[in-house]
Amino acid sequence: MLTVLGFSMVICFMYLIMTRRMSALIALIIVPTLFALAGGYWHGLGDMMLSGVKTLAPTGVMLTFSILYFGLMIDAGLFDPLVRLILKIVRGDPLKVLVGTAILTLLVSLDGDSSTTYMIAIAAFLPLYRRLGMNVLAMTCLVNLASGIMNLSPWGGPTARAAAALRIDALDIFLPMIPAMLLACGTLTGMAVFFGLRERRRLGIMTMESHQMDDISLGQGDADECAANRRPKMFWPNFILTTALLVLLVVGLMPIHILFMLAFAIAVMLNYPSLEQQKARIGAHAANVLAVTSLIFAAGIFTGILSGTGMVDAMAKSLLAVIPHSFGPYLAIFTAVVSLPFTFFMSNDAFYFGILPVIAQTAAGYGISAQEIARASIVGQPFHLLSPLVPSVYLLVGLAKVDIGDHQRFAIKWGILVSMALLAGGVLFGAFPLYHR
C-alpha cells in the first residue's frame, strides 16, 4: 500500500509540474498532503510537515543570504571583468559560449558545492545568453550536470556519504572513478558542442564590438540604475572577500549559512554604507530570494511526508525485493542503474544510509567488494541533481529565471546520458564489474 502510494505521489507530482498544470510551489505542498490524507495519515501529519521544514531550514537560510551576497557582488560589478574577458574570447559565437559554459562550470564545481557553482556560473554567463538570444535552458542543463559530475569528489556529498555508510575510505571510492569522470566530462563537452552547433545554425555568429560588450549589464534594474550601483573602486576588497568566503566554504570553518550571513553583512557595509542604499539593494533582490526560499520550505513538506509516512522505506524495500537470486553477480551494475531513480525520488541520505548498506551486504555474498558497490552507487548523481527534491536546483532555475518544469523536461534525457557515460566508464576502466564470477 505504502509503495503504491509513494510512487503514485511522486509520479503525480512530476506530471503536474512538467506539464505545467501546477506550479512547483503549490504542487510540493498540495500533492503530498492529499496523498497522505488518502493514506489515512490524519494524526501527526502536521508534525511530519514541520519536521521536513525544520530539516531544510538551514538550506533556506543559506540560499537567502547567498542570493543576497552574490546579487550584491553583481550589482557592485565584481563579475564584470570576467564577463568582458569571456566576451572577448567567444566574440558572439554560440558554440564557444556553450563550450565555455561547460568547461568553466566543471572547474568551478571542484569545490563540491552546487549552490556556489550555480551562482558563479549563472552570474558569468546569463548576460551573454540574453545578449545573444540563446536558449537559457541549454545553459542550466550544462551547469546542472557539470556540478553533478564534479560532486563525486572526495569532499562532495555523495562520495562522503557512501564512504561513511559502508565505513570505507572516500579516496578508495574516488580514485578508480577518475577515468569514468573524465569520460563524463567529455560527454558533457560533446553535449555543449551539439547545443552550440544547433544554436549557431539558429542564430548565426554575432559580431560584437568593444562598445557592445560594455553595454552588457549584470545588475538589477535599467542601465542607469546598474551604473549607479557599480562600485569599481571596491573591486579588490570585494574580490578578496569573495575569495576568502569560497576558501572558508571549502575548509568548512563554519556552517555554510553562517558564512554567507557574515559575508553579506560585511559586503553590504563596504559597498553601500547608507541605510537607504542597503534597503534598496535588499529590496532589489527580494523577489529572487522569495522565489527560491518559498520552494525550499515547500519541498520540506514533500520530503517530510515522504519520510514520516514511511513511503521512502517502502519504495526502497519493494524495489530490492524484486531482485532475483540469480541476479546476484550483477549487483554492481544493478546498483549503478538503480542509483538514478533511487536518488531522483529520494534524498541522498535515504539512499546511502538506508539502502546502500543492504545492497553492499547482499553483494558481499557474491564476492563484490564494498568499494565496488560504493563506486557504482554514485553513478546516478548527475541525474540526481535534476530532482525537485534537491534544494539547489531551485536556486539554479531561480537565478536563470526559468521554470523548473521546463528545465527538467529539457535536461532529463541529457542527465541520463551523462550518468550512463559514468556507468560505461566505471565498467570499462574497472571501477566496478559488469559481472562478478
Side-chain angles (χ1 to χ4, degrees):
M1 174 62 182
L2 274 178
T3 302
V4 174
L5 199 65
F7 280 116
S8 299
M9 184 176 79
V10 172
I11 292 170
C12 178
F13 169 74
M14 294 298 298
Y15 172 78
L16 288 173
I17 66 169
M18 293 186 72
T19 57
R20 308 186 76 171
R21 283 174 166 78
M22 191 177 287
S23 70
L25 176 64
I26 304 304
L28 283 167
I29 299 171
I30 296 296
V31 171
T33 302
L34 291 178
F35 273 86
L37 293 175
Y41 292 93
W42 302 84
H43 299 293
L45 182 59
D47 291 335
M48 293 179 199
M49 294 177 169
L50 185 59
S51 175
V53 172
K54 285 180 177 178
T55 301
L56 289 182
T59 302
V61 174
M62 183 273 291
L63 293 179
T64 296
F65 284 94
S66 61
I67 292 171
L68 288 174
Y69 178 83
F70 281 99
L72 199 73
M73 290 296 108
I74 291 171
D75 290 342
L78 175 64
F79 298 103
D80 287 358
L82 176 61
V83 174
R84 305 281 187 266
L85 175 62
I86 294 171
L87 272 172
K88 289 178 181 177
I89 296 172
V90 302
R91 283 291 177 183
D93 187 347
L95 174 60
K96 293 180 180 178
V97 172
L98 280 153
V99 173
T101 301
I103 293 173
L104 178 67
T105 308
L106 287 169
L107 294 175
V108 174
S109 298
L110 283 170
D111 70 345
D113 180 66
S114 299
S115 298
T116 306
T117 297
Y118 297 157
M119 286 182 282
I120 293 174
I122 300 302
F125 282 101
L126 184 58
L128 309 185
Y129 282 76
R130 287 178 175 168
R131 178 69 178 84
L132 299 175
M134 294 173 60
N135 186 1
V136 177
L137 291 175
M139 175 189 67
T140 57
C141 174
L142 292 174
V143 170
N144 209 169
L145 298 181
S147 182
I149 297 170
M150 302 311 291
N151 207 25
L152 304 186
S153 59
W155 50 87
T159 303
R161 284 181 176 89
L166 301 184
R167 299 179 182 179
I168 56 180
D169 194 320
L171 284 177
D172 289 340
I173 302 174
F174 171 70
L175 293 177
M177 284 296 291
I178 290 177
M181 290 175 64
L182 292 175
L183 180 60
C185 291
T187 302
L188 186 80
T189 306
M191 285 168 45
V193 172
F194 173 76
F195 293 159
L197 290 173
R198 190 165 61 182
E199 288 292 89
R200 183 191 274 178
R201 285 195 298 270
R202 184 172 71 90
L203 301 169
I205 300 177
M206 185 182 297
T207 302
M208 299 185 70
E209 304 298 335
S210 297
H211 69 277
Q212 291 177 303
M213 297 178 190
D214 293 337
D215 288 340
I216 291 184
S217 173
L218 279 74
Q220 298 283 326
D222 56 31
D224 291 337
E225 183 182 351
C226 288
N229 292 328
R230 290 295 187 266
R231 296 293 184 268
K233 293 181 179 178
M234 294 301 298
F235 174 81
W236 286 111
N238 287 335
F239 179 81
I240 293 170
L241 177 62
T242 303
T243 303
L245 172 62
L246 296 178
V247 170
L248 293 176
L249 287 173
V250 174
V251 172
L253 182 65
M254 289 184 181
I256 185 171
H257 45 288
I258 300 300
L259 284 172
F260 271 113
M261 291 174 75
L262 291 172
F264 169 72
I266 295 170
V268 75
M269 287 191 299
L270 285 176
N271 292 276
Y272 306 100
S274 76
L275 185 59
E276 290 74 16
Q277 290 174 325
Q278 293 174 9
K279 287 181 178 179
R281 290 301 88 218
I282 293 172
H285 299 284
N288 287 341
V289 171
L290 180 62
V292 173
T293 54
S294 60
L295 283 167
I296 294 300
F297 292 121
I301 289 180
F302 192 101
T303 57
I305 290 176
L306 201 62
S307 300
T309 57
M311 290 182 196
V312 166
D313 294 334
M315 292 161 68
K317 289 176 182 176
S318 66
L319 287 177
L320 290 176
V322 302
I323 306 174
H325 181 74
S326 60
F327 204 69
Y330 300 93
L331 271 176
I333 199 73
F334 170 81
T335 303
V337 172
V338 300
S339 70
L340 274 75
F342 268 134
T343 59
F344 188 85
F345 293 127
M346 63 183 67
S347 70
N348 272 344
D349 287 335
F351 176 65
Y352 286 107
F353 293 110
I355 296 173
L356 188 61
V358 177
I359 297 178
Q361 186 176 4
T362 306
Y366 296 92
I368 304 173
S369 70
Q371 287 84 353
E372 290 170 329
I373 291 296
R375 292 169 204 146
S377 72
I378 61 177
V379 159
Q381 285 307 301
F383 187 66
H384 162 74
L385 285 188
L386 297 171
S387 169
L389 303 183
V390 176
S392 62
V393 74
Y394 297 110
L395 174 65
L396 174 64
V397 298
L399 292 174
K401 294 181 173 61
V402 299
D403 181 76
I404 187 171
D406 292 340
H407 169 62
Q408 289 178 322
R409 193 161 48 247
F410 182 92
I412 276 180
K413 59 181 177 293
W414 301 109
I416 294 173
L417 175 63
V418 172
S419 286
M420 288 299 102
L422 273 176
L423 189 155
V427 172
L428 184 63
F429 297 106
F432 50 85
L434 178 64
Y435 172 83
H436 197 283
R437 297 182 183 278

